């Protein structure tokens, strides 16, 4: 979850379709509808996913950031075969999250359409919630992921060292995915050594993100995913306008260039990784 950057709400045009299909590893379909000012209903989800499929984005993980949003994501995934869900409370939303909230998250996480516990982690940028509180809730989400046996999907904003340290001290779940990976090359190497998956957002296409492209250049292709984080993090040249899974080809092309791969090679790799870590199909 990121803040919007501008007031231009017109949807960018569809990019040229990919030759080899991919999955959007992290998106917020409910927040997309809210930003567009339309109901977050099954017709909206169907339209978004049809537009995505038309350019080769054949499935998406829609990610909860509150208990209510997580419940919405599970219902969307149950209703649409190309949509999968992740459930958690975002680190800037954890104030007031109590045992009853965790019980509800655990009930939701057990649903077969839920492929990860996330997004959870630490956000020292927005500074809405005390770091010590965020850390305690991050530990509870790690424990939840381990108990339900699903991957942990991490939000890490300006908190790299604390995220890595807490994962190490708690004992990481079998599968850890850094959503909107924002580390440098050294952190990418550290994640690769630990077997953590790095999911790259549209930021990798931004002119002012050479450090992220350097990280992508050293990330092993079998540990890489791509994501939109829609409606946020819209890739170049549409930065600030509403993002959507159908814009993912722009990020795939930028990431492939940064990694020194052909676009189809990267597409095949991220598709295989999505199948392996989340069980996605499409
Ligand atoms: Zn997100």
């Amino acid at each position: 979850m990121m803040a919007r950057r501008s007031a231009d709400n017109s949807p960018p045009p569809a990019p040229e379709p990919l030759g080899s299909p991919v999955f959007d590893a992290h998106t917020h379909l409910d927040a997309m509808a809210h930003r567009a000012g339309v109901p977050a209903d099954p017709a909206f989800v169907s339209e978004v996913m049809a537009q995505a499929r038309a350019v080769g984005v054949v499935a998406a993980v829609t990610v909860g950031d509150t208990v209510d949003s997580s419940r919405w994501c599970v219902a969307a995934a149950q209703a649409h075969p190309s949509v999968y869900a992740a459930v958690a409370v975002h680190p800037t939303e954890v104030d007031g999250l109590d045992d009853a909230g965790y019980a509800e998250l655990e009930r939701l996480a057990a649903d077969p359409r839920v492929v990860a516990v996330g997004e959870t982690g630490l956000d020292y940028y927005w500074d809405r919630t005390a770091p010590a509180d965020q850390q305690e809730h991050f530990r509870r989400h790690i424990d939840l992921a381990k108990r339900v046996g699903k991957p942990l999907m991490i939000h890490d904003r300006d908190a790299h060292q604390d995220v890595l340290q807490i994962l190490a001290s708690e004992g990481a779940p079998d599968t850890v995915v850094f959503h909107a990976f924002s580390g440098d090359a050294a952190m990418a190497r550290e994640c690769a050594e630990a077997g953590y998956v790095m999911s790259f957002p549209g930021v990798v296409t931004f002119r002012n993100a050479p450090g992220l492209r350097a990280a992508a250049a050293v990330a092993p292709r079998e540990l890489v995913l791509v994501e939109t984080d829609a409606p946020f993090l819209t890739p170049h040249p549409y930065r600030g306008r509403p993002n959507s899974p159908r814009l993912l080809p722009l990020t795939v092309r930028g990431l492939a260039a940064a990694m020194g791969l052909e676009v189809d090679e990267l597409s095949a790799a991220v598709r295989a990784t999505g199948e392996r870590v989340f069980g996605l199909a499409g």
Side-chain angles (χ1 to χ4, degrees), residues 1 26 28 63 119 155 179 229 232:
M1 194 174 74
H26 185 113
H28 299 276
V63 179
E119 56 185 295
H155 173 101
H179 130 69
D229 202 22
F232 316 107

Side-chain angles (χ1 to χ4, degrees), residues 10-188:
S10 62
E16 193 188 321
L18 292 168
S20 176
V22 298
F23 306 123
D24 184 347
H26 185 113
T27 194
H28 299 276
L29 296 173
D30 53 345
M32 283 180 62
H34 298 152
R35 177 159 179 189
V38 300
D41 61 13
F44 175 80
V45 172
S46 292
E47 174 65 16
V48 168
M49 296 312 298
Q51 289 176 353
R53 183 169 290 271
V55 295
V57 180
V58 294
V61 181
T62 191
V63 179
D65 48 26
T66 63
V67 172
D68 283 347
S69 161
S70 295
R71 205 179 285 118
W72 185 93
C73 290
V74 174
Q78 287 170 341
H80 200 292
S82 303
V83 175
Y84 299 79
V87 299
V89 174
H90 189 280
T92 59
E93 305 284 345
V94 288
D95 275 349
L97 177 58
D98 56 12
D99 289 348
Y102 276 104
E104 176 67 353
L105 285 178
E106 182 153 357
R107 187 189 71 78
L108 292 167
D111 189 282
R113 299 293 293 171
V114 172
V115 298
V117 170
E119 56 185 295
T120 177
L122 302 175
D123 190 319
Y124 295 166
Y125 177 82
W126 290 105
D127 200 32
R128 267 184 253 170
T129 305
D133 291 343
Q134 291 189 32
Q135 291 165 13
E136 184 198 324
H137 285 286
F138 182 32
R139 289 192 183 94
R140 285 192 74 164
H141 280 82
I142 293 171
D143 177 62
L144 174 60
K146 287 198 255 190
R147 277 188 294 111
V148 299
K150 295 194 178 176
L152 186 73
M153 182 186 276
I154 289 183
H155 173 101
D156 160 27
R157 188 125 191 234
D158 294 353
H160 303 324
Q161 285 318 311
D162 282 3
V163 166
L164 291 170
Q165 188 271 321
I166 289 171
L167 281 173
S169 67
E170 293 297 300
D174 289 343
T175 303
V176 172
V177 177
F178 277 76
H179 130 69
F181 182 80
S182 59
D184 60 8
M187 181 167 171

